[in-house]
Every structure is written in C-alpha cells, then in structure tokens.
Amino acid sequence: MVTSEQEQAEIRLEFARLKQDHADFDAAINAMIATGTDPLRIQRMKKKKLALKDRLQELEDSIIPDIIA
C-alpha cells in the first residue's frame, strides 16, 4: 500500500494522539484501581484501552512497510 507524504503525516499524527490516549487510559485505570472503583467500570476502561492498542497496531502496520525476507 503506497501512501502520499500527506497521508503518512496524518497517520503519524493520529498514531501520536492515540498513543497519548492509551497512556491516559492507563493512568486512569491505575487511579480507579487505587481508589477502589467498581471492577466493572475498570473492566470497561481496559476494553477501551485494548481497542486503542489494536488501532495503534493497525496504524503502525500501515506506517512500517512490509519487508519480504
């Protein structure tokens, strides 16, 4: 898949934003655990964090070209 430099820049920008969101979710989950928040709410946050991780992986795969060995 060939993308233009503009598309690559947009993908990298989205990647950086999602990476920050992922870190924010991590901090929020740790705070929820520390304050004894309802485990169901924590589990939902973890699912959202995992979805972000999956999207980050998709973006990373589109940034890094496939290398055929």
Side-chain angles (χ1 to χ4, degrees), residues 1 3 11 18 30 38 40 57 65 68-69:
M1 180 170 112
T3 57
I11 291 170
L18 291 176
N30 288 334
D38 175 37
L40 184 58
Q57 187 62 53
I68 301 172

Side-chain angles (χ1 to χ4, degrees), residues 11-36:
I11 291 170
R12 290 178 193 279
L13 186 62
E14 182 180 1
F15 183 84
R17 184 183 56 80
L18 291 176
K19 191 87 167 160
Q20 182 60 53
D21 288 350
H22 188 267
D24 292 346
F25 268 99
D26 200 34
I29 289 167
N30 288 334
M32 291 170 79
I33 291 169
T35 59

Side-chain angles (χ1 to χ4, degrees), residues 18 21-22 25 48-56:
L18 291 176
D21 288 350
H22 188 267
F25 268 99
K48 290 178 183 179
K49 181 181 158 193
L50 184 58
L52 274 179
K53 184 177 180 183
D54 290 345
R55 178 65 180 141
L56 284 167

